[in-house]
């Protein structure tokens, strides 16, 4: 997920956050390798991770993505796909800023419910976008 903003000095910036598997692949500068290590370390501790990156947007690039986004807003069909293509056109050559690791506890009763389902021989699949290190 990305946002485009203008900072107090007038620079236009794209700020991006997401899973390391998505964000690090579009970074070409910054602390990419250190961030990969931190992601692995945080995941091994059971923390949910989120990687951050940014880049300065030229006036020409901003005009182009602004035009693409306006086209998306006016689209009747395939709006989400067109928005994704618009952002993909500008979400590249990012500078990796770093990663956060936050504890994300299960809600009360989840562990007991999963255990009871297993005892009842109910096959249970839990799908998550997270790393295998966080699987319960």
């Amino acid at each position: 997920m990305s946002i485009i903003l203008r900072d107090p000095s007038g620079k236009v910036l794209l700020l991006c956050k997401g899973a390391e598997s998505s964000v690090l692949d579009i970074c070409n500068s910054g602390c990419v390798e250190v961030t990969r290590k931190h992601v692995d370390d945080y995941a091994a501790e059971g923390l949910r991770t989120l990687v951050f990156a940014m880049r300065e947007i030229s006036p020409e690039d901003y005009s182009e993505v602004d035009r693409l986004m306006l086209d998306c807003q006016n689209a009747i069909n395939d709006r989400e796909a067109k928005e994704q293509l618009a952002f993909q056109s500008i979400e590249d050559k990012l500078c990796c800023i770093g990663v956060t690791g936050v504890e994300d506890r299960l809600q009360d009763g989840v562990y007991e419910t999963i255990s009871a389902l297993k005892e009842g021989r109910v096959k249970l699949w839990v799908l998550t976008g997270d790393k295998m290190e966080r699987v319960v």
Side-chain angles (χ1 to χ4, degrees), residues 69-134:
M69 292 306 291
L70 184 59
D71 290 347
C72 293
Q73 291 171 3
N74 294 328
I76 295 173
N77 298 318
D78 302 322
R79 181 178 294 176
E80 288 183 23
K82 290 176 182 179
E83 286 175 346
Q84 189 165 3
L85 287 173
F87 268 100
Q88 284 176 351
S89 74
I90 201 159
E91 286 178 332
D92 67 344
K93 300 177 190 151
L94 300 183
C95 175
C96 181
I97 299 171
V99 61
T100 60
V102 295
E103 186 176 14
D104 189 11
R105 295 182 185 201
L106 293 174
Q107 293 182 359
D108 291 340
V110 170
Y111 185 78
E112 293 81 6
T113 301
I114 291 172
S115 296
L117 290 169
K118 282 183 175 181
E119 285 177 23
R121 297 182 189 251
V122 173
K123 289 189 179 189
L124 179 68
W125 286 66
V126 179
L127 302 177
T128 177
D130 233 343
K131 300 180 78 61
M132 285 301 294
E133 291 88 339
R134 288 191 30 86

Side-chain angles (χ1 to χ4, degrees), residues 17-66:
K17 63 110 176 143
E20 99 281 347
S21 58
S22 301
V23 177
L24 291 178
D25 288 345
I26 55 177
C27 291
N28 69 348
S29 65
C31 52
V32 174
E33 292 310 314
V34 171
T35 297
R36 281 187 208 281
K37 181 174 179 350
H38 288 168
V39 165
D40 292 342
D41 292 346
Y42 293 163
E45 292 178 31
L47 301 177
R48 187 174 292 271
T49 59
L50 205 56
V51 174
F52 297 88
M54 66 169 290
R55 81 170 242 210
E56 188 173 339
I57 305 296
S58 71
E60 296 80 22
D61 285 346
Y62 177 76
S63 293
E64 177 63 14
V65 79
D66 188 46

